[in-house]
Amino acid sequence: MNFKKTLLAAIMSSTVFMAGCSDSDSSNSNDAPNVDTPAQSAAQGESKNAWFNQGANAVAAAANNAPNIQTAKNVILFVGDGMGVSTTTAARILEGQQRGETGEENNLAWDTFPYVALAKTYNTDQQTPDSAGTMTAMMTGVKSDAGVIGVDEDVERSECNTVAGNELVSAVSLAEIAGKATGVVSTARITHATPAATYAVSPERGWEDDAEIAESNDDGHNTAGCEDIASQLVSYDYGDGIDVILGGGLRHFIPQDDGGRREDGRDLTQLWVDGAAENTTRAFVSDKAGLQGVNLEQTDQLMGLFTSSHMSYEADRDDAEEPSLTEMTEAAIDMLSKDDDGFVLVVESGRIDHGHHAGNAYRALTDAIEFSDAVKAALAKVDLDETLVMVTADHSHVFTIAGYPKRGNPILGKVVGVDDQVAVGADNMPYTTVGYMNGPGASNPANNDARGAGRIDLSEVDTQAEGFYQESLVPRGSETHAGEDVGIYAAGPWAHLAQGTLEQNMIFHIINKATGLVELADAALAD
């Protein structure tokens, strides 16, 4: 015992000494978060080093976490499309820097969740996945092929005659059968792969409207008997139908004569409104003013399609015309919370993915920051004692954070070392902290024009500009997904099941364990 006390005293003395005497690493004590020290440990007193105290406090807080094993009344699944770990890190830093901080110490909404796991994202036929197969895994509990929605791996992509017997049921559909309220929110087209996997069954993610099915038929695929994804949303007949639908993609719901893509001449938005069950009030809106004007208390079901295709990047959004992801999330929760049986809500930040595909980190990261704001808004509206909240991604991107920039260096800037010198490569030209393995930035990052062989000199280029294309190694018109694991961040009932490295389809099974959706749906069907 005396030996242990002596050892602990030595540790504490060491941290005090380092805090008071280290010139080369003084930023650790000056810039560390100001935290309350815990009660004196082993009668040795507290350290003067804030990093030591921060760590001690974090462990003390974690030790007090008690798993909540109550049945979850509500579930919110947040999906940052393409939001790999490097995206989370870079967005965290950028958000902090936008507030005038160094950035690294900042936390996004989910960074403080008590439980974290990793998800293996591969599809059953692809090492690096796509969103259709990955979201199908999260929604149904079954891993599947790339490019297919709501069906298992025994289908052939784009072949309708292989679907029968391979259909899957999503958590949203189970919730509807069980009598819960449901919602789907996305900044992408609501018929795009990720949101579509909450309600649709299709051997081809591209069949967002009937015109696209016709094109596949002309290409020789068997399309007989398949319904396009937009039509499936409107004809969706589980329970009383999805209660809140907010996102983009209006063109897939309206006829070509009205500026849409539908060849069948149907206005699916009007059909949706007219298809309301008896004593059910449905409202359709197409802009922010319309959303704000809806009396949520007196509206039973709400559809909002705010753009023809995907909604705008947060950096480009017209606040007078388009609601933000945060505003859509708040409206959805306000609507769904009226149901005494609880709700299941899926919220996707779809354009993080698109910013990365464009090789434009600024737009990808600012959308990730807005995604964090939406999570914060949700947390302010729900009770975590009865609501399971999970934040994850469907896949990652070939997006990297590299070099040796000093702490607080602009995350979108050129690498500047602790010696305040701009770092250069072997070609004697500067390079940025963030970049891509492949993508449009292999051309001129300043304007996306072809630059030929070799890099360009970025010395006079503003790499933090909204339109800058980060450098990439392999030239491609669109940057690709990546295959590494993504994070799962969880809070609320049964959130402690998010631990370790999991197959991605486990997300459905955690939701089911927390809510008993399968059992509730079976009981409802039996009645």
Side-chain angles (χ1 to χ4, degrees), residues 160-197:
C160 279
N161 59 337
T162 68
V163 171
N166 297 314
E167 303 95 331
L168 302 170
V169 180
S170 74
V172 168
S173 296
L174 289 170
E176 277 294 332
I177 296 170
K180 289 182 178 290
T182 59
V184 182
V185 174
S186 179
T187 53
R189 297 190 296 268
I190 208 69
T191 51
H192 209 234
T194 303

Side-chain angles (χ1 to χ4, degrees), residues 38 51 104 112 196 200 234 236 244 248 269 280 323 329 357 362 399 417 459 482 498 519:
W51 291 113
E104 296 85 357
T112 57
V234 171
Y236 182 89
V244 178
T269 64
T280 298
T329 300
H357 279 308
Y362 180 89
F399 175 67
S459 298
E519 184 177 349

Side-chain angles (χ1 to χ4, degrees), residues 382 453 464 481 490:
V382 300
Q464 300 180 66
H481 297 171

Side-chain angles (χ1 to χ4, degrees), residues 418-436:
V418 294
D419 58 0
D420 290 325
Q421 299 298 307
V422 176
V424 297
D427 55 9
N428 205 37
M429 291 190 291
Y431 55 93
T432 56
T433 300
V434 297
Y436 294 94

Side-chain angles (χ1 to χ4, degrees), residues 385-403:
D385 286 339
E386 63 178 17
T387 304
L388 172 63
V389 178
M390 301 180 75
V391 180
T392 189
D394 46 359
H395 55 74
S396 183
H397 276 268
V398 291
F399 175 67
T400 62
I401 304 174

Side-chain angles (χ1 to χ4, degrees), residues 250 253-255 258 262 264-272:
L250 178 62
F253 292 81
I254 59 176
D258 295 330
R262 299 203 65 82
D264 59 11
R266 296 189 298 163
D267 182 342
L268 298 185
T269 64
Q270 190 60 52
L271 289 175
W272 181 82

